[in-house]
Amino acid sequence: MPLSIKTLDLAAQNAGERARKAGVTIRELRDLPEAHAMIELLTEIWGRPLITVEFLRALTRAGNYVAGAYDGGRLVGVCIGFHEEPAARTLHSHVAGVAPGLSGRGVGTALKLHQRAWALTRDIPTIEWTFDPLVSRNAHFNIVRLGALPVEYLTNFYGAMHDAVNGADETDRLVVRWSLLSPRVVAACSGTPFERPARGPSSRRVAAPADIEALRAGDAAAAVAWRRRLRDELAPLMAAGGRVVDFDRDLGYLVDLENS
């Protein structure tokens, strides 16, 4: 059933407000020079391009999501997603990044809300993506700021990437599902605090490091130990039916075990 004009207008309004607050304009990829600029920004962030210009152009030609955040004429953020199999009615958000030095400005949030509005206008109710469960700031952003929830633990999903972000570490990932019209997500995107679940008798906390990037740079062995520890605790809980329902910067992941 098509979404109401009111729902679509609210999503567009939320996206526009976040973009104005971040001081950026967000638009979809238009031409070849913009494609080259996106590849250059991905290389600046990750130390390698991740995808090619040719593939990026093919994604846009096929109707997928490729958008950039611009501060004046400067590209400062990029978000790329592609459609999952038709029956899923889900967009897979493959990569999103912001230029170094702009963290905390809200560019990433603005990009994600633009992506949400884009998906809803195409009657796509769900967006999924992956992130490294060791990166606490990303866990907080995804789960608390956006209202997305992890649904699967993937062990060493990409293999060693050897880039500026992941280094030589194994690439465990959490798949998060962003149910775009859930009360939790609607509240988060409107800037209204939603009720955060408290720890109960059927829940468990799984700790995460405060700053894994700094740890990788200063103590690689300790970073590897964190990977194994979190994997050994969180992966079995999720495989047995435990649901990650919240994240706290100090306490880590909150896993509900009631139906596991």
Side-chain angles (χ1 to χ4, degrees):
M1 179 179 179
L3 298 176
S4 70
I5 297 298
K6 181 179 179 180
T7 297
L8 298 177
D9 285 348
L10 180 59
Q13 178 183 333
N14 290 338
E17 288 175 353
R18 292 301 178 97
R20 286 189 291 273
K21 186 176 180 179
V24 296
T25 300
I26 299 176
R27 63 175 184 264
E28 292 182 63
L29 174 67
R30 294 175 175 170
D31 53 34
L32 189 57
E34 289 184 343
H36 280 285
M38 287 186 176
I39 298 300
E40 290 171 4
L41 179 56
L42 291 173
T43 303
E44 182 182 1
I45 297 169
W46 273 274
R48 64 185 184 89
L50 297 183
I51 62 175
T52 65
V53 168
E54 295 83 359
F55 185 58
L56 192 60
R57 294 286 280 168
L59 285 176
T60 60
R61 179 66 181 82
N64 294 287
Y65 180 83
V66 180
Y70 291 83
D71 184 349
R74 179 193 174 199
L75 179 67
V76 297
V78 60
C79 190
I80 300 166
F82 47 82
H83 299 283
E84 295 190 14
E85 55 95 6
R89 294 176 60 219
T90 296
L91 184 75
H92 181 83
S93 187
H94 177 58
V95 62
V98 175
L102 295 184
S103 61
R105 183 167 149 180
V107 177
T109 304
L111 277 166
K112 294 305 291 185
L113 266 63
H114 180 273
Q115 187 182 55
R116 175 178 180 261
W118 183 95
L120 288 175
T121 62
R122 289 155 178 80
D123 198 28
I124 299 171
T126 307
I127 300 176
E128 292 184 342
W129 62 91
T130 66
F131 77 96
D132 187 342
L134 287 180
V135 183
S136 291
R137 60 183 176 82
N138 285 350
H140 184 270
F141 174 76
N142 292 327
I143 298 171
V144 179
R145 292 284 299 278
L146 296 179
L149 291 174
V151 294
E152 186 177 1
Y153 192 103
L154 305 174
T155 300
N156 199 25
F157 183 61
Y158 296 111
M161 295 181 70
H162 299 290
D163 58 30
V165 174
N166 297 281
D169 191 13
E170 293 184 310
T171 52
D172 288 18
R173 293 293 184 264
L174 281 176
V175 179
V176 290
R177 181 171 296 149
W178 204 21
S179 299
L180 304 183
L181 296 176
S182 71
R184 176 187 177 102
V185 172
V186 171
C189 293
S190 299
T192 304
F194 54 86
E195 185 176 354
R196 309 231 346 238
R199 179 170 183 173
S202 63
S203 61
R204 177 173 167 181
R205 284 285 183 185
V206 177
D211 188 346
I212 191 62
E213 292 99 336
L215 202 57
R216 285 172 180 155
D219 190 341
V224 170
W226 261 112
R227 170 72 71 205
R228 302 298 170 80
R229 184 185 316 158
L230 193 146
R231 175 192 295 170
D232 290 346
E233 291 187 37
L234 187 55
L237 291 176
M238 296 186 70
R243 299 180 304 110
V244 177
V245 295
D246 198 20
F247 182 83
D248 184 274
R249 292 181 185 272
D250 297 319
L251 302 174
Y253 296 92
L254 179 63
V255 185
D256 186 353
L257 306 173
E258 184 175 4
N259 297 314
S260 63

